[in-house]
Amino acid sequence: MACDIAGENIDRGGGPFGAVIVRDGKVIATGGNSVTIDNDPTAHAEINAIRRACGLTHNFKLDGCVVYSSCEPCPMCLSALYWAGVSRVYYANTRDDAACIDFDDLFIYQEIAKPNLNRSIPCIHVDVEHSIDHFRKWAEKADKIEY
């Protein structure tokens, strides 16, 4: 199904990626890549499916869900799948297959492994005196919804 979505997605102007989220054998949501359609670099198939599934279930967690993807999730999508709490991910094409059609994430994997200042987009820590106050406020909040 995820691969069928990927193929159909190309026909509607999106990228060649599809994802399906299932819980207890029932499809909760699907998504296709709409990066160029929506002018949104985060609109990958898995992200779009996560957004739909969370919206439909009225929950930011997808515990007990299984994801089927037409391709091995990129670093962003994999991170989102961890944050969503899915149980398992099945994928068809590999990251190497994606690289062969110019969807190569190796650069990002390599960048993440580098020290912050050595990345092509340097990540620079700025010591702001009151910044920790917001974290303390959150830590002390009795009625917070943890995630």
Side-chain angles (χ1 to χ4, degrees):
M1 183 182 217
C3 292
D4 291 341
I5 291 168
E8 294 164 3
N9 201 55
I10 296 168
D11 296 335
R12 69 180 196 96
F17 303 98
V20 178
I21 299 179
V22 175
R23 181 183 282 148
D24 299 325
K26 180 182 174 192
V27 173
I28 294 178
T30 64
N33 177 294
S34 62
V35 169
T36 57
I37 295 168
D38 297 334
N39 294 312
D40 179 353
T42 68
H44 291 198
E46 295 89 344
I47 300 295
N48 285 338
I50 289 168
R51 289 174 179 157
R52 285 189 189 105
C54 289
L56 290 169
T57 61
H58 305 286
N59 196 329
F60 57 86
K61 293 299 282 183
L62 297 174
D63 295 328
C65 288
V66 175
V67 174
Y68 298 88
S69 181
S70 64
C71 188
E72 184 175 354
C74 74
M76 176 185 68
C77 292
L78 184 60
S79 296
L81 292 164
Y82 271 98
W83 283 115
V86 303
S87 299
R88 186 164 294 180
V89 177
Y90 294 95
Y91 60 91
N93 294 306
T94 67
R95 68 171 92 162
D96 293 331
D97 296 328
C100 289
I101 60 165
D102 296 325
F103 289 96
D104 192 352
D105 296 322
L106 180 59
F107 173 75
I108 296 171
Y109 286 107
Q110 292 171 337
E111 285 289 297
I112 289 170
K114 291 179 183 179
N116 290 355
L117 291 175
N118 294 345
R119 295 177 180 160
S120 64
I121 301 174
C123 297
I124 303 157
H125 175 251
V126 179
D127 193 13
V128 178
E129 183 179 330
H130 65 281
S131 64
I132 198 68
D133 294 346
H134 310 296
F135 280 12
R136 286 187 187 121
K137 182 177 180 178
W138 175 258
E140 295 167 2
K141 184 173 172 54
D143 61 344
K144 66 184 166 222
I145 298 172
E146 299 203 25
Y147 58 97

